[in-house]
Amino acid sequence: RAKERGRNHYRFYSSTMTSKASMLLKLENLLYQAIEQNELSLHYQPQLKLKNHKISGMEALLRWYHPELGQVSPAKLIPLVEKTDLIVPVSLWVLRTACQQNKTWQKAGLPPVTMGVNFSAKQFQQPNIVEMVSQVLGETNLDPQLLELEITETALMENIEFSQETLGELRQLGVKISLDDFGTGYSSLSYLQKFPVTTLKIDQSFIQSVQDTPPNTAIISAVIALGKSFNLRVIAEGVETLKQLELLQQLNCEEIQGYWFSRPLTPENATQFLSRV
Ligand code: C2E
Ligand code: MG
Ligand code: MG
Ligand code: MG
């Protein structure tokens, strides 16, 4: 009986593996189609400068709407992209689309905004990342200063030498580098000095729990102070309520992003939003 159970177990295990592999293959095919059939899109979330009430930037956020699967969130989509050969075409598509959009805004005479583009650890670690960014900047003719790559500290810490070198080269192209979800990774301050970043994005978990856990206020003001002393742009992410906004103002936080100001917007709505201010 034990033998039988063993065999059953084995059969169960192997069929799970097969179905996982075939599911991945199916999704990979769907994703190829998605790119070809324009099922991928970017939404844009505005960032607000509190001092002058101007929009300082937009963050590009990936959306995939599949007719049968429905909306697939980037948190699910990106890991999938990383497991397939799609990492290069998807990274390129996102970067190109975001840069083209910003160039279109600039050409239309809208106020200059930085375009934040997210890169996962694996995307950042592609060997030709600098060439890719340089190629897209050339193609779109976007002012490099209006592109800001968003990477997490954790991603940078995976290969410190590579990160230092790559960030240096990206900075030489003139693009900005932002540390996304700041405070949730390994926040070794000595590395902050080694990585030539321009922006800190305070993770939304700190912002959203200010009411119930007062020590988070201390973390937020520490990050703001850190940003000031390194001369970095600091953005509070995930600001949802007036109360959170008021607290951030008290702490002299200069920029915010979150549902309180605006949800991520379709390209059309983002264009309208930029035109109104
Ligand atoms: P992230 O870069 O930290 O982006 C912020 C996320 O918080 C977005 O979720 C945004 O819609 C959401 N958000 C914005 N304001 C608020 C708020 O006030 N409250 C709450 N609860 N949420 C808010 P989204 O679009 O689902 O993206 C999730 C994550 O997926 C992103 O986190 C980013 O890490 C990743 N991602 C999104 N687009 C891309 C992409 O094009 N490439 C890569 N590699 N990753 C992406
Ligand atoms: Mg981000
Ligand atoms: Mg974030
Ligand atoms: Mg994130």
Side-chain angles (χ1 to χ4, degrees):
R1 246 210 264 141
K3 214 174 180 184
E4 208 174 291
R5 224 188 293 142
R7 208 179 315 133
N8 281 342
H9 177 76
Y10 170 75
R11 211 187 299 149
F12 169 74
Y13 184 64
S14 96
S15 79
T16 305
M17 294 227 303
T18 314
S19 73
K20 247 192 186 164
S22 71
M23 195 174 78
L24 209 64
L25 204 67
K26 228 181 254 167
L27 277 168
E28 186 171 358
N29 286 332
L30 283 178
L31 257 172
Y32 269 113
Q33 284 174 27
I35 300 181
E36 278 163 15
Q37 296 173 3
N38 291 322
E39 288 167 6
L40 293 184
S41 65
L42 293 180
H43 283 194
Y44 301 96
Q45 189 175 33
Q47 299 164 338
L48 177 70
K49 190 149 200 165
L50 293 172
K51 186 174 63 185
N52 54 14
H53 298 112
K54 287 200 167 135
I55 296 178
S56 50
M58 290 277 195
E59 178 176 8
L61 295 160
L62 186 58
R63 298 290 178 260
W64 179 25
Y65 183 78
H66 183 268
E68 278 143 47
L69 297 174
Q71 195 75 51
V72 183
S73 80
K76 286 200 184 121
L77 178 55
I78 295 298
L80 190 71
V81 164
E82 292 181 334
K83 284 197 198 105
T84 64
D85 287 337
L86 288 155
I87 187 158
V88 173
V90 170
S91 307
L92 194 59
W93 183 86
V94 169
L95 189 64
R96 188 181 275 145
T97 306
C99 288
Q100 275 168 351
Q101 179 63 78
N102 204 7
K103 184 67 189 181
T104 303
W105 286 334
Q106 298 318 302
K107 274 204 220 147
L110 294 173
V113 288
T114 57
M115 176 62 82
V117 176
N118 292 285
F119 270 80
S120 71
K122 287 226 175 79
Q123 285 179 303
F124 176 69
Q125 286 156 9
Q126 292 169 87
N128 57 351
I129 177 85
V130 179
E131 286 75 22
M132 184 172 97
V133 172
S134 156
Q135 180 201 324
V136 169
L137 285 171
E139 258 174 39
T140 57
N141 202 23
L142 178 70
D143 177 354
Q145 297 214 53
L146 298 183
L147 173 63
E148 183 166 82
L149 302 182
E150 299 197 1
I151 308 162
T152 63
E153 308 155 78
T154 311
L156 295 180
M157 295 298 288
E158 279 181 17
N159 188 341
I160 292 162
E161 259 174 56
F162 172 88
S163 297
Q164 256 185 300
E165 201 178 301
T166 306
L167 290 182
E169 287 169 17
L170 288 168
R171 291 286 295 126
Q172 257 170 10
L173 293 178
V175 305
K176 293 185 171 141
I177 309 287
S178 147
L179 286 183
D180 205 350
D181 305 346
F182 190 71
T184 58
Y186 312 78
S187 317
S188 164
L189 294 185
S190 60
Y191 285 109
L192 204 58
Q193 237 175 345
K194 288 191 182 159
F195 296 140
V197 302
T198 52
T199 305
L200 304 177
K201 295 188 80 175
I202 308 175
D203 189 67
Q204 54 187 50
S205 60
F206 298 111
I207 312 302
Q208 282 159 13
S209 51
V210 283
Q211 274 100 330
D212 29 274
T213 28
N216 279 339
T217 309
I219 294 175
I220 295 168
S221 52
V223 175
I224 293 168
L226 187 69
K228 290 223 162 92
S229 57
F230 279 96
N231 206 14
L232 303 175
R233 185 179 169 202
V234 176
I235 306 176
E237 279 196 278
V239 181
E240 291 181 349
T241 66
L242 182 62
K243 222 174 176 163
Q244 289 163 358
L245 170 72
E246 284 169 349
L247 184 89
L248 287 163
Q249 276 173 317
Q250 275 171 35
L251 298 175
N252 288 317
C253 182
E254 292 184 351
E255 292 181 60
I256 62 153
Q257 179 182 345
Y259 296 167
W260 181 81
F261 181 52
S262 170
R263 291 196 168 246
L265 304 167
T266 62
E268 298 72 32
N269 288 340
T271 305
Q272 271 186 13
F273 203 94
L274 260 183
S275 320
R276 272 198 278 120
V277 278

